[in-house]
Amino acid sequence: MIFNRVKPLDAILDVAAKKSLERTLGGFQLMLFGIGCVIGTGIFVLTAAGAQKAGPGLMLAFAIAGAICIVAALCYAEIAAMIPVSGSAYTYTYATMGELLAWTVGWALILEYAVAASAVSVGWSGYFAGTILNEFLGIQLPAWLSAGPLILGGAPGGLINLPALVIALLVTWLLMVGTRESAIFNTILVAIKVAALTVFLILTLPSVELQRFNPFLPAGLFGGFGSGVGAVGAAATIFFAYVGFDAVSTAAEETKNPQRNVPIGLVGSLLFCTVFYILVAAGAIGTIGGQPIMGPGGIPFPAGSEELARQCALPQYAQMLVCSDEALAHVLRQIGFSEVGNMLGIAAFVALPSVILVLLFAQTRIFFVMSRDGLLPEKLSKVHPKWKTPYIVTMITGAVVAVGAAFLPVGQLADISNGGTLFAFMMVAIAVMVLRRTAPDVKRSFRTPALWLVGPATIAGCIFLFLNLPFLAMLVLPIWAIIGLFVYFGYSRSHSLLGKGIVEIHEHDTAALEPDIPGLADRGRD
């Protein structure tokens, strides 16, 4: 049987029990933590792509994505509190549904983290080129150095996004040598981002003109499965803006009265962020407009496409929201607040590299855990004797991330990343329901309320958003999965330690890795 290799839950829980943490977090603290983890990257870099898909319907898209995140977060919280060890959804699946499905989840997470890091690198590049180089230094990077090829959705005359390539390689190098990032520094970055977006709201909302929201749904609610447009298509893309919520889920083991406080922290932070995001979208669209550029048949040109890039190069479209590489800073400049727009650009410029660092580290952590289980070559998880980092896999990951950032636009990268994310969250919901049946007596510090409803709602929501991604982005996940199955049956299955009857669960190996970055295992995409 190919589904008969299930990692013993008792062994995993024994490890978890040895590293139990003091319960110190209340509901309000947990909510603030969630807000800090969620607000940031997505809203900074995906506003333009979302508006091109949905126009003013971007506001509705944030509500749809937020609702699906809430039910997914409640599922995640139970299993994260129950099995608080490294490996995230990969480990959860290994303990419930076996090695093969765990492999598919881990393989999908590798794709998710790497592509997400590429997306954030491209987003950072837009603010670097627009704010730091152009606004402050008066340097206009030529298209061939600031965008990927037109055929890949870059820009006319584009060849390579050099700033995105450089930042990805720089962060990779920092991870390899074990640079640490303090909790205080993380807190400061969160404060900068929230403050920048709050100032954006204060300056834009008084200038909102209601006629700019008409038509509200220029591409409709549903653009059609596989089209990637409409309010639901935009929700599938901007799901990327929310996924830091699982940082709150994994903090369940540190929460006082988790059955009460975890839902407060999760639902409260996601509701706050959803309202915040809707207001930011309203401020951006209501001041300069956010209607998409329509193609043949009244259907928006696909975000990140060659056709849209050609349109955005035309003078009549160049200043539109949907054509900006630094949307929020661009809006403020357009309404006469250039200096404040530049400050917002600096905030993004400073904050986004730490997000790339988090994503790259999280990806290498998944690699490390899978390699430790024998599913990937042991050499990949080799730790450098001086730096104490898994330097080989970090180099490989960094190179792939840098190539993706150099040649692909941010909208396409976010869509591809979301495919892996949605699959992983769906599997977590399934794992929670399976564990309720197979391990009903295991202690749970938090139990998902109304799991009979929340679990299926999470599965349905994830599938629903996946089917509303652009068709090409939908294809990436199954193609990646097929490649993964070849790797599994060609190498991993025969080298699996569990398959050889060896049950090794040594959480201290991952805990000893450098760098010690707070919240890193929690995947906060802030």
Side-chain angles (χ1 to χ4, degrees):
M1 293 273 303
I2 61 172
F3 295 103
N4 62 348
R5 294 182 182 178
V6 178
K7 185 174 286 190
L9 183 60
D10 289 342
I12 297 175
L13 294 176
D14 284 344
V15 172
K18 295 174 183 176
K19 68 183 200 81
S20 60
L21 302 173
E22 183 180 357
R23 297 187 181 277
T24 59
L25 297 175
F28 184 69
Q29 291 171 297
L30 205 59
M31 186 169 71
L32 291 179
F33 177 53
I35 292 169
C37 288
V38 173
I39 285 183
T41 306
I43 193 67
F44 275 111
V45 305
L46 288 179
T47 303
Q52 175 58 24
K53 290 170 176 281
L58 175 64
M59 299 164 63
L60 178 59
F62 277 122
I64 294 170
I68 293 174
C69 278
I70 287 175
V71 291
L74 290 172
C75 288
Y76 214 107
E78 176 172 326
I79 201 164
M82 182 181 173
I83 313 176
V85 296
S86 294
S88 185
Y90 161 76
T91 300
Y92 308 154
T93 308
Y94 215 154
T96 55
M97 290 172 280
E99 183 176 276
L100 177 60
L101 292 177
W103 166 267
T104 64
V105 171
W107 193 247
L109 287 174
I110 290 171
L111 175 71
E112 173 200 342
Y113 288 129
V115 177
S118 294
V120 180
S121 298
V122 175
W124 177 89
S125 173
Y127 283 94
F128 172 72
T131 297
I132 305 301
L133 292 185
N134 194 17
E135 295 293 328
F136 284 102
L137 302 178
I139 299 173
Q140 182 74 44
L141 273 184
W144 66 275
L145 283 179
S146 59
L150 179 62
I151 194 172
L152 296 178
L159 177 63
I160 185 172
N161 190 331
L162 185 62
L165 174 74
V166 170
I167 192 65
L169 292 178
L170 177 61
V171 171
T172 299
W173 177 76
L174 290 175
L175 273 179
M176 284 175 57
V177 299
T179 298
R180 292 173 180 264
E181 185 184 44
S182 71
I184 294 176
F185 182 58
N186 266 333
T187 302
I188 292 172
L189 290 181
V190 168
I192 288 173
K193 289 178 297 185
V194 174
L197 292 175
T198 302
V199 170
F200 178 86
L201 291 179
I202 292 171
L203 295 178
T204 57
L205 290 182
S207 302
V208 166
E209 299 177 9
L210 293 181
Q211 65 266 26
R212 295 190 183 276
F213 296 98
N214 187 30
F216 185 73
L217 293 171
L221 179 62
F222 296 97
F225 290 124
S227 69
V229 299
V232 179
T237 294
I238 61 174
F239 190 79
F240 184 93
Y242 282 99
V243 291
F245 74 76
D246 47 3
V248 185
S249 305
T250 54
E253 61 170 325
E254 301 174 65
T255 303
K256 293 180 291 186
N257 191 4
Q259 193 62 35
R260 171 185 177 273
N261 289 330
V262 168
I264 291 174
L266 283 170
V267 177
S269 60
L270 284 169
L271 284 176
F272 177 90
C273 292
T274 298
V275 173
F276 204 68
Y277 283 172
I278 290 172
L279 290 175
V280 170
I285 293 167
T287 50
I288 71 169
Q291 295 296 333
I293 300 176
M294 294 296 191
I299 299 174
F301 286 112
S305 66
E306 178 182 352
E307 297 90 342
L308 180 62
R310 290 186 187 278
Q311 297 297 314
C312 286
L314 300 175
Q316 64 265 37
Y317 296 132
Q319 298 305 313
M320 289 182 65
L321 176 68
V322 298
C323 291
S324 176
D325 290 331
E326 39 168 359
L328 303 187
H330 173 72
V331 168
L332 292 175
R333 295 186 190 117
Q334 289 290 100
I335 62 174
F337 295 103
S338 293
E339 290 187 3
V340 182
N342 291 341
M343 292 301 104
L344 189 146
I346 290 175
F349 167 77
V350 171
L352 294 185
S354 69
V355 183
I356 304 169
L357 189 73
V358 167
L359 291 167
L360 279 174
F361 186 93
Q363 204 266 18
T364 58
R365 178 65 63 95
I366 293 292
F367 250 128
F368 185 88
V369 174
M370 294 177 73
S371 175
R372 189 186 60 189
D373 288 337
L375 301 183
L376 291 171
E378 184 179 358
K379 188 174 181 179
L380 288 178
S381 59
K382 184 178 180 182
V383 176
H384 194 280
K386 178 181 178 181
W387 300 332
K388 306 300 181 184
T389 61
Y391 66 104
I392 295 176
V393 71
T394 303
M395 281 192 293
I396 295 172
T397 300
V400 172
V401 167
V403 170
F407 297 109
L408 293 174
V410 66
Q412 287 188 19
L413 290 166
D415 286 338
I416 295 170
S417 173
N418 282 344
T421 305
L422 291 166
F423 176 69
F425 289 163
M426 180 187 72
M427 294 300 287
V428 166
I430 295 173
V432 172
M433 292 189 290
V434 169
L435 280 171
R436 283 284 185 95
R437 287 187 171 274
T438 60
D441 299 326
V442 173
K443 180 182 177 182
R444 291 165 170 81
S445 60
F446 172 78
R447 294 176 68 89
T448 302
L451 182 62
W452 60 270
L453 174 64
V454 172
T458 300
I459 297 168
C462 290
I463 294 173
F464 178 61
L465 286 187
F466 178 79
L467 293 175
N468 279 278
L469 288 169
F471 183 69
L472 291 178
M474 288 170 55
L475 282 179
V476 171
L477 183 62
I479 291 173
W480 178 250
I482 290 171
I483 295 172
L485 290 176
F486 276 108
V487 175
Y488 176 76
F489 287 106
Y491 175 87
S492 305
R493 186 167 176 82
S494 60
H495 289 79
S496 164
L497 296 185
L498 187 61
K500 296 176 181 178
I502 304 171
V503 179
E504 291 190 2
I505 302 175
H506 30 208
E507 183 71 10
H508 62 274
D509 286 0
T510 51
L513 290 179
E514 300 283 355
D516 180 20
I517 303 178
L520 228 45
D522 304 334
R523 311 188 330 161
R525 232 171 256 188
D526 56 348

